[in-house]
Amino acid sequence: MTPRPPSDDSTKKSAEGRPTAGAQKASAAASQPPTAGKKKAVAKKAATGAKKATAKTAVAKKAVEKTPVAEAKEAAAESESTAATETPAGTAAAKKAPAKRTAAKKTAARTTAAKKTVAKKVAAKTTAAEVVAEKAVAKKAPAKKTAAKAAKTTVAKAPAKKTAAKKVAAKKVTAQKVASADPLAAVAVSPALAAGDRERLLAGTHHDPHSVLGAHPVPGGVALRAFRPYALSVTVVAGDVRAELHDDGDGFFSGLLPLPDAPEYRLLVEYEGTVQDTEDAYRFLPTLGDLDLHLIGEGRHEELWKALGAHPMTHQGVTGTRFSVWAPNARGVRVAGSFNFFDGTGFPMRSLGSTGVWELFVPGVGEGELYKFEITRPDGSKTLRADPLARRTEAPPNTSSVVCASHHAWGDAEWMARRGERPVHEAPFSVYEVHLPSWRPGLTYRQLAEQLPAYVKELGFTHVELMPIAEHPFGGSWGYQVTGFYAPTARLGTPDDFKHLVDALHQAGIGVLMDWVPAHFPRDDWALAEFDGRPLYEHQDPLRAAHPDWGTLEFDYGRREVRNFLVANAVYWCEEFHIDGLRVDAVASMLYLDYSREPGQWMPNEHGGRENLDAVAFLQEMNATVYRRNPGVVTIAEESTAWDGVTRATHHRGPSGFGGLGFGLKWNMGWMHDSLEYMAHDPIHRAYHHNEMTFSMVYAYSENYVLPISHDEVVHGKRSLVSKMPGDWWQQRANLRAYLAFMWAHPGKQLLFMGQEFAQGAEWSEAHGPDWWLLDPGYGAEADHRGVRDLVRDLNAVYRGTPALWERDTEPSGFSWVVGDAADDNVLAFLRHDAEGSPLLAVSNFSPVVRHDYRLGVPDDVPAWHEVLNTDAAAYGGGDVRNPGPVKPEPTPWHGRAASLRLTLPPLATLWLRPA
């Protein structure tokens, strides 16, 4: 607030010839250590009220007409009977006062003409911060000391070695404090603070607390205000200046510093039993620049996680944490955390323009602190929310966000440099799907890093696919209902611990894919649902927002900030955690407006169709951004319909008129369902379902496919993979081995869920994970399970060494049928070709009988063939029916080819043969 210039009386001497008691005490307080004046100022912390403010204002105004000595005596008497923290109730400027003044105002108006003129000029320039300073000075007026005692105290308590310059400065402080204590000035400039800023700060609805709190240059010095609820006193330390601020009540403290500019300063905040030495959060400039805010507003900030969330940093030479959050509908936002006992009252954030972003730099807060955002909704109610951009969270069921910074030093430079050398669809790609919390229950990320890479490398898989590791509150959702999109689940460790696991997999030569869930999010009231009091991340239309299958909420893909949140999230995992690919969950539910909805529960798009045009645009933007920024990364769609162009480039339009979605690969759900249906039939009935194994080749090259035997197929009563097979235990295992070799030879990439590699009999449960005890040498049937696992190892080894099985996966010329219509025999045979034309012959006999001298047409330019894999080998638990030695073709035309082979086909088995 603006300091009150001295009136005629304020600089006069008392009857004893000394300055007034008020001047003496103000001078002494300005030159003392903080303890010198605390005993009285701290003790009087009282709530303000309209009645007290009115009464005290009237008394103060009457005091204007009295002599300096009488004024000092009355002020001392008043200080004993009235709370020191008055709430001003006057008008903004005396010259704008209403015509009908109260009696007290009329009395004040009768002050001398010179005094009235000065007050008007000062009042016209007053700000809210100045009002605080004026109140602070007024509070420190003398109570009961006489002028003589005040003068004696000043001399007695002054530092012994004070220079003349400091004495002069102290006298200036005294003069300013006495001047500022003029009651008329306080009354003339007070209403904005009383009715506006103070009320909004207390209510948590202030959009710009930095304009009120902190230090602000004003005529006559620097007005400083602090908001420290529960504090007993606040002392400001700025260089040689050390002054205790006036307690204005309700946690507000204010004062006037005799400095030309706002200084760098610290606050000594006294609480019961302790004094906190701290920086003031409200003396700092914003930590976000115009470019960040522009990109956020445009929905184009591809590194959004670097702008929003909690970031430990050094700002203006001070260490602390920058908090920022997008909440455009909020009336106010405050930071609550372990550093303030989760009471955000004294930590209001500022709104940065029209972007909806709120920001606050909190000095002294560092890594490991818990926090949430306290949001005041449009209706005035409050909600405590986890940070949508939190990069670390508490372990569930706790829900706070955690301040963190990464210190991991990556050791996978070689992997990262070569991962983009060959396009994924032209490279070997066999995936081991893992649910990390249950793969080895109880292991942390770092413990998994000691076991998982070695196990996967031994089996020969090229990649692991991690079921969602983003934070989720309910473990039974397996991670598919995400609340912390930017945070690896804390169940297994810290974000750096997860980086350590990824790093270990890369150093073992294994790529890392992760399931990513942008289709929906849960309704938890501490997470994203109606985040700032209104639909924000979810669609405004309740019919569009509610996901009909899972009781969750769908994202509003048409809102640019929401798209930005998700696109940046995809980039974040690839760049911050070196993830090599994202398997996007539930794409079909995103693409169709009528997905799982009855007529009347959805509205057509602007063209009258059922396509969700916003979701299409989002997926295209996400894929284009990820591929542009991260060469070598692959995106994979779990899309269960016949949507045209899932793996087509976004700029290539198809027959439907849409550009491609831009994915690298797509799960072939049709192949999975059809082939498992076929295998579930008893062999005697398979002849009637032969097309279920051949139909996939009708559309095999319409997209770039992955053949998935995922977790979805071995849970909730679907039984494990081996248990789906008919027959006795021997036949079940034989069917499984034959099926896996057929799958590895079929065009497309492969994915197998954990536990199926060793023929686990029970379906998967996230509570206990795979039945590793089946591989214990002490278990009687251990050899049966180990045989299947050894087959999977050999499938991967031969697969990786045979380009014909992967190099032309997406080209029709890479595949040709030998016999696809031998339904009565339950036999399927085809050739795979690499880029140079070298073939591999795959033959599956899905009947339980040996077929001797089974003739198959083959190219006549291959002089001999030999088995490279036979699923009936004794080592795998089979009957060991083999084709020993090279098998030479005969010049007998068969199956439309000039030459043919005669082979012995083992029962329920698949053979792979290559040129000898």
Side-chain angles (χ1 to χ4, degrees), residues 71 114 128 139 167 267 661 780:
E71 181 181 349
K139 181 177 180 180
K167 289 181 179 179
L267 298 177
L661 295 182

Side-chain angles (χ1 to χ4, degrees), residues 172 183 238 333 402 445 566 643 773 780 831 891:
K172 288 183 179 179
V333 182
V402 182
Y445 290 127
L566 292 171
W643 182 279
W773 56 270
L831 290 163

Side-chain angles (χ1 to χ4, degrees), residues 367-408:
E367 295 180 53
E369 296 282 6
L370 308 181
Y371 71 99
K372 284 188 177 181
F373 294 114
E374 181 192 275
I375 297 173
T376 303
R377 300 182 178 104
D379 65 0
S381 63
K382 289 179 170 53
T383 179
L384 201 59
R385 298 291 176 134
D387 183 1
L389 273 292
R391 290 167 295 133
R392 183 182 172 190
T393 67
E394 283 190 287
N398 297 323
T399 59
S400 291
S401 305
V402 182
V403 177
C404 78
S406 179
H407 303 284
H408 179 74

